[in-house]
């Protein structure tokens, strides 16, 4: 794989050298900007080029530190200069731009000037600027005006099935921020492993983070709270918000193996050692189970400053609740009745989610849940993450709730093959070519017709890691498909063009090589 990557980068460099002339008039940026007006001429970066940032102190420091770590280390100017300078200027508002993440990038032979109404906007202008610089350290003269199609541009990582070390999480944040992804959904708990330190419940990591693999060896790993703070801060420096996920009430066998009393029967168990859906789930008949969740939430909330908190909610078999006296007593006490739409047990699931919503609202957080949270009635303020097709997202928008689209069948599950399964590493199955990912439009026509499309806040790709045994395989599945996700999340529909994306991706491969990413090379 490495050799192939190397060969490809040599080929790409040759190709870029060959296209240098053409590059002056065409942008090779992913995601493609809203509009670009390029002219003849270029700005030349050199050792004397200075950096001038005019922005509030916090953003100024963030941007200066970021640029200092980029391939072009520019010295800060001591005073405002107009010649041979890259200027970042925060303004109150920009004409023709509605999103605070938008920016205008103007290149003249004398200077590069990026204007935006927020630190994030300046950061995205910087990303476009960095992708525009060619191997001769020049960039074409002209103006780029840009803003995102969606406010939520997400990717999910699953360190539960296979652990992702801190350094690799940071690497993905580094790379994805180049392509203007702004949300990292971190799936921290599941049947096969609990991955976040909770001080009040030490057995969650002592017991719940370890499982015995097929060969009889122990497999494990977890993030300390200090490591989590470090990653969240690292993400913030790249204008990425981290959304933690605490699965409830299913997908929690790892927690149950640490504290068996969380399940209905309370029988001793171990974290799950095979993939698939687990029947042993948390017991909403027991008040102590809610106390546990409350305590865990209390420790998690201060680590994640964003507005959203993901409470899972998917794939929770309800057979144990049917036979559990405590659950049945709860159903009775709460008046949760079976009707033609929902069973009493589905309503009990909804009761759990509503309690989670209230619990998190006390901490000022809004909940997101997988589309099963629609079953049994949606919590008042919940945002739905639509994974079993688009139906959940549509149903949610029709109820005037926000939704995020991440349907597996439409190419948003990047745990699938992206080439011939005879020569690709083993995967969970399914076949999702780059072009299929690229062709996905997160806003269904029905919602446009009904005027409910504003509820689609964005799109996300998921990297479920059952068959991502190590981070090399994870990167191989993520890239380049995440670049297509970046473009469907950022670029307006009418600017999308797969042929042109294929041309531009060669420039992106050079950036991926710069970060030593083990990306998949599309087969002939
Ligand atoms: C379904 S998507 C799951 C995950 C699996 C994934 C495998 C979702 C909410 N649940 O637990 O890892 O399929 O593709």
């Amino acid at each position: 794989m490495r050799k192939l990557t190397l060969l490809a980068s040599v080929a790409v460099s040759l190709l870029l050298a060959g296209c240098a002339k053409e590059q002056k008039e065409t942008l090779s940026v992913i995601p493609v900007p809203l509009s670009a007006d390029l002219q003849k001429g270029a700005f030349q970066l050199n050792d004397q080029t200075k950096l001038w940032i005019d922005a509030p102190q916090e953003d100024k420091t963030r941007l200066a530190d970021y640029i200092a770590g980029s391939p072009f280390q520019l010295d800060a100017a001591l005073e405002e200069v107009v010649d041979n300078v890259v200027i970042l200027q925060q303004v109150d508002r920009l004409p023709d731009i509605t999103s605070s993440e938008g920016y205008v990038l103007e290149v003249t032979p004398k200077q590069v000037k990026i204007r935006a109404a927020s630190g994030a906007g300046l950061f995205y202008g910087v990303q476009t600027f960095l992708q525009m610089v060619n191997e001769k350290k020049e960039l074409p003269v002209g103006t780029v005006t840009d803003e995102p199609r969606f406010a939520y541009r997400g990717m999910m990582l699953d360190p539960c099935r296979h652990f992702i070390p801190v350094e690799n999480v940071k690497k993905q944040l580094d790379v994805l921020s180049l392509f203007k992804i702004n949300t990292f959904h971190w799936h921290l708990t599941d049947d096969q492993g609990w991955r976040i330190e909770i001080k009040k419940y030490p057995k969650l990591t002592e017991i719940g983070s370890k499982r015995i693999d097929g060969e009889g060896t122990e497999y494990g790993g977890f993030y300390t709270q200090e490591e989590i703070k470090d990653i969240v801060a690292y993400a913030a420096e790249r204008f990425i918000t981290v959304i933690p996920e605490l699965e409830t009430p299913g997908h929690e066998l790892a927690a149950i193996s640490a504290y068996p009393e969380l399940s209905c029967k309370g029988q001793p168990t171990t974290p799950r050692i095979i993939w698939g859906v687990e029947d042993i789930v948390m017991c909403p008949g027991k008040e102590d189970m809610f106390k546990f969740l409350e305590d865990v939430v209390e420790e998690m909330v201060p680590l994640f400053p964003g507005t959203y908190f993901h409470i899972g909610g998917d794939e929770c078999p309800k057979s144990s609740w049917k036979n559990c006296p405590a659950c049945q007593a709860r159903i009775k006490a709460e008046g949760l009745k079976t009707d033609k739409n929902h069973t009493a047990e589905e309503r009990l699931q909804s009761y759990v989610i509503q309690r989670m919503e209230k619990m998190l609202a006390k901490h000022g957080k809004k909940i997101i849940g997988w589309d099963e949270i629609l079953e049994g009635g949606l919590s008042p303020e919940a945002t739905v993450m639509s994974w079993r097709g688009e139906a959940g997202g549509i149903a949610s928008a029709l109820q005037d709730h926000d939704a995020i689209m991440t349907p597996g069948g439409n190419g948003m599950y990047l745990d699938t093959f992206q080439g011939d399964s005879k020569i690709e590493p083993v995967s969970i199955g399914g076949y999702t070519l780059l072009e299929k990912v690229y062709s996905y439009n997160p806003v269904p026509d029905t919602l446009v017709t009904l005027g409910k499309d504003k509820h689609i806040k964005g799109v996300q790709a998921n990297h479920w890691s059952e068959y991502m045994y190590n981070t090399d395989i994870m990167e191989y599945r993520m890239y380049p498909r995440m670049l297509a996700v970046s473009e469907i999340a950022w670029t307006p529909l009418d600017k999308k063009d797969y042929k042109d994306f294929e041309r531009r991706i060669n420039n992106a491969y050079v950036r991926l090589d710069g970060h030593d990413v083990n990306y998949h090379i599309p087969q002939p």
Side-chain angles (χ1 to χ4, degrees):
M1 238 182 266
R2 267 277 138 247
K3 262 193 196 150
L4 266 180
T5 314
L6 214 81
L7 270 177
S9 9
V10 172
V12 164
S13 311
L14 289 174
L15 206 125
L16 284 181
C19 294
K21 188 161 175 293
E22 191 217 9
Q23 263 215 329
K24 289 200 170 161
E25 280 96 42
T26 30
L27 272 191
S28 290
V29 173
I30 291 177
V32 77
L34 183 65
S35 80
D37 174 20
L38 301 185
Q39 292 118 36
K40 293 257 175 289
F43 175 84
Q44 175 75 55
L45 280 161
N46 58 33
D47 293 347
Q48 264 70 57
T49 308
K50 294 276 185 286
L51 175 67
W52 176 256
I53 306 180
D54 175 10
Q57 195 53 46
E58 195 188 342
D59 286 330
K60 189 170 169 170
T61 315
R62 267 205 268 190
L63 291 158
D65 289 351
Y66 184 82
I67 291 171
S70 82
F72 308 103
Q73 287 156 9
L74 306 171
D75 287 335
L78 299 174
E79 53 180 7
E80 196 166 353
V81 282
V82 290
D83 229 353
N84 196 12
V85 62
V86 174
I87 300 170
L88 312 188
Q89 184 183 49
Q90 192 158 322
V91 294
D92 286 342
R93 59 177 297 276
L94 286 167
D96 307 324
I97 294 280
T98 52
S99 161
S100 65
E101 293 180 301
Y103 64 90
V104 174
L105 164 64
E106 283 164 303
V107 184
T108 69
K110 287 186 160 191
Q111 57 171 238
V112 174
K113 185 170 191 175
I114 300 168
R115 284 174 302 134
S118 71
L122 291 175
F123 183 77
Y124 297 132
V126 167
Q127 294 308 338
T128 299
F129 153 66
L130 292 175
Q131 286 191 43
M132 283 169 74
V133 180
N134 69 11
E135 71 282 12
K136 286 191 251 157
K137 293 174 82 176
E138 303 169 334
L139 67 161
V141 162
T143 304
V144 175
T145 307
D146 201 9
E147 66 177 328
R149 180 178 179 202
F150 295 110
Y152 186 111
R153 304 180 298 280
M155 70 100 187
M156 188 217 74
L157 293 183
D158 166 19
C160 296
R161 278 56 178 268
H162 285 101
F163 190 64
I164 310 163
V166 170
E167 284 318 307
N168 194 273
V169 174
K170 288 186 175 175
K171 178 179 173 184
Q172 307 319 323
L173 296 173
D174 262 343
V175 175
L176 290 166
S177 63
L178 305 181
F179 302 100
K180 306 185 174 82
I181 294 293
N182 69 352
T183 309
F184 166 33
H185 168 183
W186 207 358
H187 184 79
L188 285 165
T189 70
D190 214 309
D191 294 316
Q192 291 86 358
W194 179 281
R195 304 289 178 224
I196 171 170
E197 174 192 32
I198 300 294
K199 297 192 169 134
K200 192 157 186 189
Y201 296 94
K203 285 196 268 179
L204 286 172
T205 42
E206 278 165 27
I207 294 173
S209 77
K210 298 168 188 163
R211 63 170 185 257
I212 303 300
D213 258 355
E215 246 85 84
T217 50
E218 187 177 280
Y219 183 93
F222 68 91
Y223 306 103
T224 64
Q225 293 192 1
E226 283 311 307
E227 286 172 329
I228 288 185
K229 280 188 216 156
D230 180 38
I231 286 178
V232 170
Y234 195 84
E237 282 159 24
R238 285 148 189 78
F239 296 88
I240 293 177
T241 304
V242 185
I243 299 181
E245 181 180 354
L246 164 65
E247 275 274 21
T248 58
H251 278 285
E252 280 298 14
L253 195 64
I256 293 169
S257 57
Y259 297 97
E261 61 276 17
L262 292 170
S263 74
C264 293
K265 287 198 179 139
Q267 73 270 49
T269 183
T270 64
R272 193 170 158 91
I273 53 165
I274 52 170
W275 314 134
V277 178
E278 172 58 49
D279 283 331
I280 302 176
V281 299
M282 290 182 154
C283 176
K286 297 179 182 168
E287 206 43 40
D288 282 355
M289 190 281 281
F290 288 102
K291 175 77 175 67
F292 168 84
L293 290 174
E294 225 167 77
D295 290 342
V296 170
V297 160
E298 207 146 284
E299 286 196 35
M300 283 178 76
V301 161
L303 305 175
F304 301 95
T307 314
Y308 288 99
F309 194 105
H310 202 303
I311 49 72
D314 62 311
E315 298 180 322
C316 179
K318 311 209 168 34
S319 51
S320 59
W321 298 354
K322 255 195 150 78
N323 304 316
C324 165
C327 288
Q328 291 306 317
R330 174 83 71 191
I331 284 174
K332 205 161 163 224
E334 295 295 327
L336 308 173
K337 295 208 172 65
T338 299
D339 65 14
K340 63 179 186 334
N341 295 322
H342 305 290
T343 65
E345 284 74 25
E346 280 173 353
R347 293 205 184 280
L348 186 55
Q349 151 111 1
S350 170
Y351 168 84
V352 176
I353 306 299
Q354 293 194 23
R355 279 192 66 167
M356 291 304 291
E357 178 169 276
K358 284 195 200 117
M359 197 186 284
L360 281 150
K362 278 196 214 137
H363 296 278
K365 302 283 172 190
K366 291 189 189 161
I367 62 161
I368 300 182
W370 299 109
D371 57 42
E372 285 92 333
I373 67 168
L374 282 151
E375 295 161 10
L378 205 48
S379 304
E381 304 285 335
T383 295
V384 169
M385 201 165 251
S386 193
W387 70 280
R388 297 172 304 174
E390 293 186 313
I394 295 173
S396 171
L398 292 180
Q399 295 177 43
D400 285 320
H401 281 246
D402 288 344
I404 291 145
M405 288 298 196
T406 179
N410 301 66
M412 295 301 104
Y413 271 42
L414 302 187
D415 52 348
T416 49
F417 289 112
Q418 57 182 324
D420 192 333
S421 59
K422 290 198 281 301
I423 55 169
E424 289 281 304
V426 63
S427 93
I428 197 153
Y431 185 52
T432 316
L433 284 179
L434 183 62
E435 188 166 5
K436 175 166 179 172
V437 178
Y438 190 85
S439 67
Y440 180 54
N441 173 16
V443 180
D445 290 345
T446 6
L447 293 181
V448 180
T449 313
L450 297 168
K452 300 283 187 186
D453 48 318
K454 62 173 188 297
H455 288 301
I456 305 298
K457 290 296 162 204
V459 59
Q460 174 173 295
N462 299 330
H463 302 91
W464 298 108
S465 69
E466 286 94 332
Y467 296 90
M468 298 182 187
Y469 298 106
N470 54 47
T471 50
D472 265 0
I473 298 180
M474 181 180 83
E475 290 176 8
Y476 186 74
R477 300 253 188 258
M478 283 176 88
Y479 304 102
R481 292 186 291 191
M482 263 319 290
L483 307 189
V485 174
S486 121
E487 192 144 312
I488 65 179
W490 181 279
T491 301
L493 256 194
D494 60 356
K495 292 285 288 184
K496 275 174 63 188
D497 174 348
Y498 187 66
K499 273 271 151 284
D500 191 57
F501 175 75
E502 279 189 311
R503 175 187 68 77
R504 284 177 285 117
I505 209 167
N506 291 318
N507 190 21
Y509 285 147
V510 178
R511 322 285 147 173
L512 295 185
D513 285 334
H515 286 269
D516 199 21
V517 172
N518 185 41
Y519 55 88
H520 173 270
I521 297 168
Q523 293 146 9

